[in-house]
Amino acid sequence: MKLFVVAGLVLLLAGSFVSAKPIQADTQVPTDTQPDESPSQAWASSVNSAYSADGIMSSVLDMIRSMFGGDEPAAKTVAELADHAPGNVSMLVNGVKRADLQAVIGDPNWEATIFCPTNRAFRAALLKLKIKITDLYTDKTALMNILSYHTVPGPALTAGQLKDGQQLTTVSQHTLTVHVDKVEGTSIAGASDTGKVVAADIKAGKTVIHVIDEVLLPPKPSAEL
């Protein structure tokens, strides 16, 4: 059960940090409240929104800091943080709800490190998988596999504790590798994808969330290879 909880934290935490003010580029990307839109259409829209601009990442960071920095009190639980999640991370937040993880994310003593992808990253993953968000929501096994792959149980790791070459074991018992570069920043490498940390150290209770710009797809079971 803790596996699912940790995965849920990742999604929820990412949502709260982006809510301070809207990201201009993301306003062109429909949220999952429009189920009729195909993943390919959504991805094309995100590409046209100049995703490569560093300014988008800076805007995300500014929003997160303005919402959680300064005198803003930290959320006591991941669930509390998720209550304020904006549309930019709605797909992951909804995924946590569909996976029935509220009890876990509502525990103030839950300790984990969560790498939370944004909606933009999630849409790209859907395109790669050739599925719709509704398909993923109804397949709880696949949903839990993805969520647990983004969650590392145990004492939460801050950005300063993430070291180059560090190996992290996820709730799903897979390994993620940390890459730290003085110029490029910190990134998290999975089996086939690498996500750059675009917002770090978002705290909720004893859990720390780092927002990444890529969904890390877990490796396929050996039977499917």
Side-chain angles (χ1 to χ4, degrees):
M1 185 64 182
K2 281 194 174 182
L3 306 183
F4 309 137
V5 176
V6 179
L9 290 180
V10 181
L11 311 181
L12 300 177
L13 286 179
S16 24
F17 66 116
V18 222
S19 65
K21 44 185 174 181
I23 301 177
Q24 185 175 358
D26 267 343
T27 58
Q28 301 177 28
V29 182
T31 64
D32 58 326
T33 56
Q34 297 174 297
D36 295 333
E37 182 185 37
S38 69
S40 59
Q41 290 173 323
W43 179 237
S45 175
S46 68
V47 170
N48 292 335
S49 65
Y51 168 62
S52 60
D54 291 337
I56 296 177
M57 294 299 99
S58 297
S59 297
V60 176
L61 287 168
D62 289 342
M63 287 186 237
I64 297 173
R65 287 167 182 155
S66 64
M67 180 160 189
F68 295 100
D71 299 328
E72 188 71 30
K76 295 179 180 178
T77 66
V78 174
E80 183 178 314
L81 190 59
D83 287 340
H84 307 288
N88 296 65
V89 291
S90 61
M91 297 174 84
L92 285 183
V93 172
N94 287 335
V96 174
K97 294 177 181 177
R98 303 262 181 162
D100 300 323
L101 299 173
Q102 290 90 329
V104 180
I105 62 176
D107 183 358
N109 294 313
W110 182 48
E111 296 185 66
T113 304
I114 299 174
F115 298 103
C116 180
T118 60
N119 272 8
R120 184 187 302 280
F122 207 72
R123 290 184 186 283
L126 291 176
L127 180 64
K128 181 185 294 187
L129 295 172
K130 297 180 180 180
I131 62 174
K132 295 182 179 180
I133 186 62
T134 50
D135 298 327
L136 184 59
Y137 282 167
T138 55
D139 187 343
K140 286 194 175 183
T141 298
L143 181 60
M144 287 308 307
N145 285 341
I146 290 178
L147 295 180
S148 62
Y149 192 53
H150 289 75
T151 304
V152 177
L157 299 172
T158 63
Q161 294 172 312
L162 296 175
K163 306 300 180 182
D164 189 48
Q166 186 175 7
Q167 302 283 302
L168 304 176
T169 302
T170 68
V171 168
S172 61
Q173 295 302 301
H174 291 105
T175 300
L176 299 178
T177 302
V178 179
H179 294 293
V180 179
D181 185 276
K182 292 182 179 180
V183 176
E184 298 297 328
T186 299
S187 59
I188 308 299
S192 59
D193 313 275
T194 299
K196 181 178 180 180
V197 175
V198 296
D201 296 340
I202 301 168
K203 297 181 179 180
K206 295 183 178 180
T207 294
V208 172
I209 296 168
H210 305 292
V211 180
I212 57 177
D213 64 359
E214 187 87 12
V215 172
L216 306 176
L217 297 177
K220 293 182 179 180
S222 55
E224 297 181 21
L225 297 177

